[in-house]
């Protein structure tokens, strides 16, 4: 393995550990709440968290264009504009959250209004943290980002310990709010220190930069992400629509968690590849593409083997699955489809970084998403829960193999034009 390959592997490993730490802290907060408080309060938190999906739809990230564009001397000004835009967006979305908390207030769920505000603040805090980490990621400073995450999460874990001294629901919500604000302050200050960042652009100057980003790339990227998120989270809604028993849906949700774990590393590798491609010419990409495909294939097959061998016990021990004869075969079916997309993620990365994003959305993502939804509905109605599992295979396979043919078609078309 040469130096570049070692550096790439290290960067991916750092990102993977960083992501695992972030998810671990989220699970810790929920675990403490589950341990200390009644199920009614957990239900309040669950409903409030579910309503933050609306923020996901509104939270457009103009900085995502930096994954595609080559680095230039104006990048500092762009980041200045993106961070100023985030401040404005934070104010607007928090105001929307406050309005929603008032509109949906109810005596049936005590503290719901406060919980909705707190979970909104949590979501926006996480969004800001991920944006700052993204800027480190673009500079291939993943190791530094991980070091800061370890420091940040260590402090936050110690802070969470205070809930055992004041074990009340009100204090828990206050603590989550303080932690969210502290995360924003911590990551802004460290970024400001490491990159000597200052807000220099006048407010009027940020809008042309934001408009150009949204119009040329980011709005299409955002819609693509929403389409993919909706399609691949659709199976649980399908099961509920067809009135599958709640205990079966609960067991199936364990398989969904296993799928998320299975795809986490390949998604990080894909994101790294998108960022890496902006520094490479088309000739350099094609020269390295064979090796890239081999690495994704090896990782995809290795993950499938690990989950096939150890997945049954993992679900029993970690997720307390009580119906493994039901969940294990479904897991194998869905992970078969997930493995296909994991292998073909280099073509997804190429589509996002090298092809016209608007054409990719309208000519590929939307038709594939529509086909996937129809497949889910038909297979679920015909074969029940097992049909929903096979719907996942159809969706993953169509998206993975479809990207392969979409890239091949556009590259051959470009060669004909040249």
């Amino acid at each position: 393995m040469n130096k570049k390959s070692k550096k790439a592997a290290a960067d991916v490993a750092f990102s993977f550990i960083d992501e695992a730490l972030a998810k671990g802290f989220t699970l810790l907060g929920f675990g403490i709440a589950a341990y200390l408080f009644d199920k009614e309060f957990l239900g309040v938190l669950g409903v409030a968290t579910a309503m933050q999906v609306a923020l996901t739809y509104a939270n457009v990230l103009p900085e995502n264009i930096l994954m595609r564009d080559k680095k230039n001397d104006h990048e500092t000004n762009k980041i200045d504009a993106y961070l100023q835009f985030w401040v404005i967006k934070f104010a607007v979305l928090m105001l929307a959250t406050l309005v929603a908390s008032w509109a949906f207030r109810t005596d049936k769920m005590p503290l719901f209004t406060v919980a909705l505000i707190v979970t909104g603040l949590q979501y926006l805090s996480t969004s800001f943290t991920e944006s700052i980490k993204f800027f480190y990621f673009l500079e291939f400073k993943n190791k530094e980002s991980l070091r800061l995450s370890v420091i940040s999460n260590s402090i936050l874990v110690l802070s969470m310990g205070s809930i055992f001294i004041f074990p009340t629901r009100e204090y828990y919500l206050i603590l989550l709010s303080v932690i969210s604000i502290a995360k924003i302050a911590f990551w802004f200050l460290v970024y400001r220190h490491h990159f000597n960042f200052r807000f220099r652009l006048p407010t009027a100057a940020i809008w042309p930069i934001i408009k150009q980003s949204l119009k040329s790339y980011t709005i299409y990227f955002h819609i693509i992400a929403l389409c993919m998120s909706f399609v691949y989270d659709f199976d649980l809604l399908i099961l509920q629509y067809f009135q599958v028993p709640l205990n079966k849906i609960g067991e199936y949700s364990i398989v969904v968690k296993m799928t998320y774990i299975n795809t986490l590393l390949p998604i990080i590798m894909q994101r790294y590849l998108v960022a890496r491609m902006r520094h490479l010419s088309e000739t350099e990409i094609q020269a390295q593409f064979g090796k890239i495909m081999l690495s994704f294939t090896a990782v995809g097959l290795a993950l499938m083997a690990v989950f096939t061998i150890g997945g049954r016990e993992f679900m029993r021990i970690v997720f307390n699955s009580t119906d493994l004869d039901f969940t294990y075969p479904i897991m194998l079916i869905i992970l078969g489809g997930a493995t296909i997309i994991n292998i073909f993620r280099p073509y997804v990365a190429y589509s996002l970084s090298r092809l016209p994003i608007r054409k990719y959305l309208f000519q590929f993502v939307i038709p594939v998403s529509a086909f996937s939804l129809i497949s889910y509905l038909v297979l679920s109605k015909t074969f029940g829960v097992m049909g929903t599992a096979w719907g996942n295979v159809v969706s993953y396979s169509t998206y993975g193999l479809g990207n392969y043919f979409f890239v091949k078609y556009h590259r051959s078309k470009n060669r004909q034009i040249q």
Side-chain angles (χ1 to χ4, degrees):
M1 185 181 288
N2 58 37
K3 285 186 177 181
K4 286 187 178 180
S5 298
K6 288 181 180 178
K7 177 69 168 57
D11 282 335
V12 170
F14 293 140
S15 292
F16 178 75
I17 297 169
D18 198 347
E19 188 81 14
L21 280 175
K23 300 301 180 187
F25 181 76
T26 301
L27 291 174
L28 174 66
F30 181 80
I32 290 174
Y35 176 77
L36 291 176
F37 306 121
D38 54 47
K39 293 295 186 291
E40 181 181 301
F41 182 61
L42 290 182
V44 169
L45 290 176
V47 173
T49 302
M51 290 185 69
Q52 302 310 327
V53 171
L55 294 184
T56 304
Y57 282 85
N59 187 26
V60 181
L61 302 171
E63 61 266 25
N64 279 329
I65 195 174
L66 297 178
M67 288 194 299
R68 184 201 66 178
D69 292 349
K70 291 184 179 293
K71 186 175 180 179
N72 57 51
D73 295 334
H74 301 292
E75 194 158 291
T76 300
N77 285 342
K78 289 181 180 179
I79 292 175
D80 187 337
Y82 300 148
L83 288 178
Q84 287 196 53
F85 179 73
W86 186 90
V87 174
I88 298 169
K89 182 173 63 177
F90 175 84
V92 172
L93 294 181
M94 275 309 301
L95 179 61
T97 302
L98 290 171
V99 171
S101 67
W102 179 83
F104 291 102
R105 68 193 186 282
T106 171
D107 295 333
K108 294 181 180 180
M109 289 194 289
L111 292 177
F112 176 71
T113 299
V114 179
L116 191 60
I117 295 170
V118 171
T119 53
L121 185 58
Q122 275 188 298
Y123 171 79
L124 292 171
S125 171
T126 301
S127 172
F128 179 77
T129 300
E130 289 176 351
S131 291
I132 296 295
K133 288 182 180 180
F134 176 67
F135 299 142
Y136 277 90
F137 179 81
L138 291 174
E139 298 292 335
F140 301 106
K141 294 183 181 294
N142 306 60
K143 184 177 182 180
E144 181 64 22
S145 176
L146 174 59
R147 186 181 71 85
L148 293 168
S149 289
V150 170
I151 294 171
S152 171
N153 284 301
S154 298
I155 295 171
L156 297 182
V157 167
L158 291 174
S159 301
M160 287 296 291
S162 65
I163 190 65
F164 293 101
I165 303 174
F166 307 101
T168 66
R169 295 180 299 179
E170 291 80 4
Y171 180 78
Y172 179 77
L173 292 173
I174 292 172
L175 182 61
L176 291 182
S177 300
V178 172
I179 286 174
S180 297
I181 294 170
K183 279 175 64 179
I184 294 173
F186 174 84
W187 281 98
F188 176 73
L189 290 173
V190 295
Y191 182 78
R192 187 171 183 264
H193 171 71
H194 283 141
F195 293 93
N196 193 30
F197 176 79
R198 300 291 185 277
F199 286 120
R200 295 185 174 89
L201 287 180
T203 304
I206 75 172
W207 297 112
I209 296 174
I210 300 300
K211 183 179 178 181
Q212 190 275 334
S213 172
L214 294 175
K215 186 178 179 181
S216 65
Y217 185 81
T218 306
I219 193 67
Y220 303 111
F221 183 90
H222 184 67
I223 296 171
I224 289 169
L226 292 179
C227 285
M228 294 299 98
S229 175
F230 179 72
V231 168
Y232 299 120
D233 290 339
F234 194 63
D235 42 359
L236 290 174
L237 294 176
I238 288 286
L239 294 176
Q240 189 175 19
Y241 176 77
F242 287 112
Q243 298 182 337
V244 173
L246 285 176
N247 64 321
K248 292 295 184 184
I249 294 178
E251 290 289 331
Y252 190 97
S253 67
I254 293 174
V255 178
V256 173
K257 290 186 179 72
M258 295 293 285
T259 307
Y260 172 79
I261 296 170
N262 177 270
T263 56
L264 180 58
L265 178 57
I267 286 173
I268 291 172
M269 292 171 64
Q270 174 189 310
R271 188 172 61 186
Y272 178 86
L273 185 57
V274 172
R276 183 66 184 157
M277 281 182 176
R278 76 178 188 142
H279 297 280
L280 301 175
S281 67
E282 185 66 21
T283 303
E284 289 173 319
I285 290 174
Q286 296 310 316
Q288 300 176 26
F289 210 80
K291 292 181 179 179
I292 293 170
M293 278 299 298
L294 282 175
S295 64
F296 274 82
T297 301
V299 169
L301 293 178
L303 286 169
M304 185 65 195
V306 169
F307 277 74
T308 300
I309 296 168
R312 188 183 182 95
E313 283 302 296
F314 188 88
M315 287 191 292
R316 182 182 66 82
I317 296 170
V318 177
F319 294 125
N320 194 30
S321 177
T322 56
D323 193 358
L324 290 168
D325 290 335
F326 170 76
T327 53
Y328 183 67
I330 288 177
M331 183 199 77
L332 293 180
I333 292 170
I334 294 177
L335 291 189
T339 300
I340 293 174
I341 180 115
N342 285 343
I343 290 172
F344 284 95
R345 285 191 183 278
Y347 288 95
V348 180
Y350 187 91
S351 297
L352 291 172
S353 63
R354 311 298 288 196
L355 297 183
I357 192 75
R358 190 174 184 277
K359 286 185 178 180
Y360 182 56
L361 171 63
F362 289 106
Q363 294 181 7
F364 179 76
V365 174
I366 290 178
V368 167
S369 299
F371 176 74
S372 296
L373 292 180
I374 294 170
S375 299
Y376 270 127
L377 289 168
V378 172
L379 290 170
S380 298
K381 185 176 182 179
T382 306
F383 302 105
V385 177
M386 199 61 70
T388 306
W390 282 106
N392 274 275
V393 176
V394 172
S395 297
Y396 282 128
S397 302
T398 303
Y399 189 57
L401 291 169
N403 265 281
Y404 168 78
F405 289 110
F406 190 77
V407 169
K408 288 291 185 183
Y409 168 76
H410 277 276
R411 289 194 64 242
S412 64
K413 189 176 179 181
N414 289 339
R415 280 198 296 267
Q416 289 174 5
I417 294 173
Q418 292 170 358

